[in-house]
Amino acid sequence: LGLGYPGGPAIEALAQEGDETAYPFTRPKLAHKLDFSFSGIKTAVVNLLHTAQQKGEQVNKADVAASFQHSVTAFLLSNAIEACRQYGCTALSLCGGVCANGYIRAKATQLGQQNGITVYLPELQYCTDNAAMIGCAAHLRYQNGDFADLTLNAQPNLQLFT
């Protein structure tokens, strides 16, 4: 969409001018109900824009942004609410840069109320990219002499629940 980086605030601002039902981006089909992957939705946006360009058609960028934001939010929050149900949680806390999005905050609060789940949202000044949290965690490990060698790698399938 040519919105630059970081995209989140730009998408939120543009989405306010658009129709969130204009483009029905679908949920990805994943092996486990609570898994997350936004690559399918992002690919759908790229394909939509590319196809329109190839056909010489114009797309309403505000509608694309609104539809994308709506789809991602619905997917994110339906998984979070379902996880609360499955694990008997009565509270949900959102954090990180994504929690600065007003649309996500409003929808989380609404869904929480509808499902008897208390939603905790930090003040906006604390809703920053989690890179700061990772940096702080690394600093604390460094102070404690907890070092890793160069074979350390990401673990994308690390289980959160046991």
Side-chain angles (χ1 to χ4, degrees):
L1 294 175
L3 299 177
Y5 180 84
I11 289 171
E12 181 181 10
L14 185 59
Q16 291 176 4
E17 304 169 20
D19 174 5
E20 67 185 31
T21 64
Y23 299 102
F25 299 123
T26 59
R27 287 180 65 128
K29 292 176 177 64
L30 302 169
H32 300 285
K33 189 171 185 171
L34 297 179
D35 282 351
F36 284 88
S37 174
F38 297 106
S39 63
I41 296 172
K42 292 189 301 186
T43 300
V45 171
V46 169
N47 288 341
L48 170 77
L49 297 173
H50 181 73
T51 299
Q53 182 183 34
Q54 294 296 315
K55 292 180 176 181
E57 299 172 351
Q58 294 291 322
V59 293
N60 183 317
K61 289 184 178 185
D63 287 350
V64 175
S67 297
F68 175 79
Q69 178 177 253
H70 171 74
S71 296
V72 168
T73 299
F75 180 45
L76 173 73
L77 294 178
S78 66
N79 274 22
I81 296 296
E82 180 60 27
C84 286
R85 278 195 207 112
Q86 282 188 24
Y87 292 96
C89 297
T90 58
L92 174 65
S93 179
L94 302 183
C95 61
V98 72
C99 190
N101 181 291
Y103 183 85
I104 291 174
R105 293 170 77 87
K107 290 293 184 182
T109 300
Q110 177 187 25
L111 285 172
Q113 289 171 347
Q114 290 172 354
N115 290 279
I117 296 168
T118 303
V119 175
Y120 293 98
L121 303 169
E123 294 179 34
L124 285 177
Q125 67 184 356
Y126 301 116
C127 296
T128 60
D129 189 305
N130 279 341
M133 180 268 308
I134 297 297
C136 182
H139 177 72
L140 293 173
R141 286 189 172 206
Y142 177 82
Q143 284 182 321
N144 289 328
D146 185 4
F147 303 106
D149 62 27
L150 295 179
T151 63
L152 182 67
N153 199 357
Q155 296 180 21
N157 295 319
L158 186 65
Q159 283 198 299
L160 298 177
F161 301 103
T162 56

